[in-house]
Amino acid sequence: MTYRVAMDIGGTFTDVVCYDEQSGAVVASKAPTTPADLAEGVFAALGRVVADPARISFFVHGTTQGLNALLERKGARVLLLTSTGARDVYQIARGNRDRMFDLRYRKPTPLLPRSDVMEAAGRLDWRGEELQPLDEQAVRRAAHRARAEGFDAVAVTLLFSYVNPAHEIRAGQILTEELGDDVLVVLSHEVAREWREYERTSSAVLEAYTGPVVRAYLARIEQRFAERGLTVPVHVMQSSGGLVNAGHAMKRPLQTLLSGPVGGTMGGVAAARLLGRDPAHQNAICVDMGGTSFDVSLVVGGRPDVSAEAHIEGFPVLMPIVNLHTIGAGGGSIAYAEAGALRVGPESAGAVPGPACYGRGGTQPTVTDANVVLGRVDPAWFAGGLMRLDTDAANEAVATLADELHLDPLQLAEGICDVANAKMAQAIRTLTVEHGVEPREFALVAFGGAGAMHAVFIARELGIGEVVVPRFPGAFSAWGMLEADVRRDLTHPYFRQQNDLDGHDLATTLAQLHRQAEAALTGQGVPQTRQRVEHAVDMRYEGQDYTLTIPLTGADEPTADDFLQTIAQRYAEAHTSRYGHATPEAPVEFVMLRSTGYGTFPKNATATPTTEAHPPAVRNVIFDGQVHRTPVLRRSALDGELEGPAIIVEETATTVLPPGCLAAPDANGFLIIKVTS
């Protein structure tokens, strides 16, 4: 037997999904995350589904090591080397305010002080032609300082290197000669070969800041797996929703920043496809509620919602990234009193000590404790029986806060869930309503250990009529990684006004990018028969600052007489969709070419679920302040339509079906819930 295995390391649990290539069986399990040594949790979870790692034919995992280092400000110490006169670009940043009416608004504190920025003479012009040679002695002085003062990484961002990287390449060679492998050297044109100086500098600094942590972790994981007999490369999920092997991820660690959460988005893409709707209507809101956070992303027309840039913790990042909105709301979010009112999160009890009901010493009430008090969790079969919950501890924690707020404990428990649900609904509005997207036109795909517990209540807040709970919702991000493709993204600056566009030059450049993308996929071990390459161009109207990315189809021929008219019309349509208007008579500009190579793996999602008889239990559950006698059923025993109220339990999650709602499994094992108001 051989297995395809995916793993997602969360703040509370480490989830694993295993696909048996011979039988088609899919199993999932989890183990508590071990913050002191993540590898312990990884192997504990893996051991529950695969006895012999040597039988693994494909392994992929998501990591939040880089993101955690950024969130906790525990990244590397970085020295920044810039062109003479550009020392303050990173500190000045942009003058715009992200929150116009926030009187206390402050720009994010830079990841390095101004004193850790050095300059090197040498200059290229905007065409990439050398005006002044690189001052190599200045680069060596930077290397000597980095070694003497114990810097972990050096980021190099030189002017116009996105057009001609020659100076940056030479600076990188000198730094590597002087520093060896002990200090990470990051060149901005390798991180983001794109225009806009501050954004490119920010991207390079972020990679330098998070890179040493990610590289050390991936190297350790590869070594530990090799020691246990794994013979295939470790693959890592990228922020773009594609996979790369660990070797490439260690070279470009920034691309793993949102590695874990994005797996759920790719699972949402697969789920939207398997629901059997035509591609234009494969729309889904993916919500991942774990123990620590709540992540929202979109699937539009069967594709993940990916942008060419994003802001993470206030810092711009130039790389393809799934649009993901995250708030501190999870099963471990702590409820507390503030100024006589109830607050929930963002602080989390985490994995240790965890919620009070975990019995690990936690005393503060959490969202999970509130669900236990309301009877919405089976304490004897939590996480598939891996944990037995302490209901007395949960009741005591909630009762203590209830006394402080002068409320009945059951009333407070439902209030904790209501506050958490309202926060999560607002997070969805941030990614949909505030961007002109109507959430009622989407299905809500709910996963994570706690997502299915709250999904129907969130859907009601937003007027969404359908909730989809996939198989193994608590390990769905890991399952999504098995459904993802290898992905490599290439960019090429291409500044052209429409009157200067040379169709033959554009066709030649796209062909070169096509070959580079195919070579990159081949380097990832993808056979040519499983490769495909897609192209797009960043465009704008003359005088605009920002661009829209317009896909090129296989029918587009840059040398054709109508190419410019066709692509300008496509841009006008995209502009209208995004901003509500367009100016078709205005001339357009080309700014950037983008090529994306995909390497397709076999999809495993169609494994047919099996049903097994299991008698339901009946317990008292609170809904809207009323006690309801509610059946507690195993998901594997579901057969046909089920009317709420009901509690549906499985190995990785619990689904709460309130009164009046209907649920039924489909052919792929997805639980389809029709939501009533």
Side-chain angles (χ1 to χ4, degrees), residues 124-404:
L124 306 174
D125 67 11
W126 66 274
R127 294 179 294 259
E129 297 178 2
E130 186 176 82
L131 300 176
Q132 180 184 3
L134 177 67
D135 183 352
E136 297 190 0
Q137 290 306 311
V139 179
R140 296 190 188 278
R141 285 194 295 271
H144 296 161
R145 181 184 172 189
R147 183 171 55 248
E149 298 184 19
F151 284 89
D152 303 299
V154 179
V156 182
T157 307
L158 303 182
L159 293 174
F160 301 112
S161 60
Y162 62 90
V163 181
N164 179 1
H167 281 187
E168 277 196 359
I169 292 172
R170 179 55 186 152
Q173 291 171 344
I174 294 171
L175 291 169
T176 302
E177 290 171 6
E178 297 282 351
L179 300 172
D181 296 330
D182 296 333
V183 177
L184 174 65
V185 177
V186 174
L187 307 180
S188 72
H189 78 276
E190 294 181 343
V191 178
R193 193 167 183 177
E194 302 190 31
W195 69 306
R196 297 208 301 270
E197 209 61 35
Y198 167 60
E199 285 77 5
R200 184 161 49 87
T201 302
S202 172
S203 301
V205 170
L206 272 169
E207 177 151 298
Y209 187 77
T210 61
V213 174
V214 174
R215 292 208 309 175
Y217 167 74
L218 291 177
R220 187 167 62 251
I221 284 291
E222 276 203 313
Q223 179 183 356
R224 297 280 289 273
F225 267 104
E227 292 171 352
R228 294 179 179 237
L230 185 72
T231 58
V232 296
V234 174
H235 283 80
V236 182
M237 174 65 72
Q238 300 178 97
S239 301
S240 63
L243 307 176
V244 291
N245 61 38
H248 178 79
M250 284 189 275
K251 294 177 181 177
R252 296 273 71 82
L254 183 64
Q255 295 175 1
T256 70
L257 205 59
L258 299 180
S259 174
V262 166
T265 309
M266 300 314 296
V269 171
R273 181 185 73 247
L274 290 169
L275 288 174
R277 291 151 193 177
D278 65 272
H281 294 90
Q282 291 178 9
N283 300 328
I285 298 171
C286 303
V287 295
D288 180 1
M289 183 180 180
T292 305
S293 63
F294 177 79
D295 303 318
V296 185
S297 58
L298 300 180
V299 176
V300 182
R303 299 174 71 96
D305 181 25
V306 178
S307 292
E309 60 180 289
H311 281 76
I312 300 177
E313 286 294 285
F315 300 108
V317 182
L318 294 177
M319 67 175 179
I321 189 168
V322 170
N323 287 320
L324 199 72
H325 184 57
T326 301
I327 63 171
S333 294
I334 295 172
Y336 59 98
E338 183 177 79
L342 173 65
R343 294 287 299 273
V344 180
E347 184 182 356
S348 173
V352 180
C357 60
Y358 282 11
R360 296 175 181 159
T363 58
Q364 294 177 285
T366 66
V367 174
T368 297
D369 293 313
N371 280 297
V372 170
V373 171
L374 295 171
R376 298 177 183 176
V377 178
D378 184 355
W381 209 70
F382 187 74
L386 295 177
M387 296 180 65
R388 177 177 290 273
L389 301 183
D390 187 340
T391 56
D392 292 338
N395 280 291
E396 182 179 349
V398 171
T400 300
L401 181 59
D403 289 342
E404 184 178 348

Side-chain angles (χ1 to χ4, degrees), residues 455-469:
V456 174
F457 304 97
I458 297 170
R460 281 176 169 173
E461 288 244 0
L462 297 166
I464 296 173
E466 183 181 59
V467 170
V468 178
V469 182

Side-chain angles (χ1 to χ4, degrees), residues 50 92 187 230 276 332 414 468-469 474 487 530 552 561 576 633 656:
V50 177
I92 294 172
L187 307 180
L230 185 72
E414 202 155 17
V468 178
V469 182
R487 174 170 173 156
R530 292 183 178 176
L552 300 177
D561 294 337
T576 301
L633 308 99
V656 176

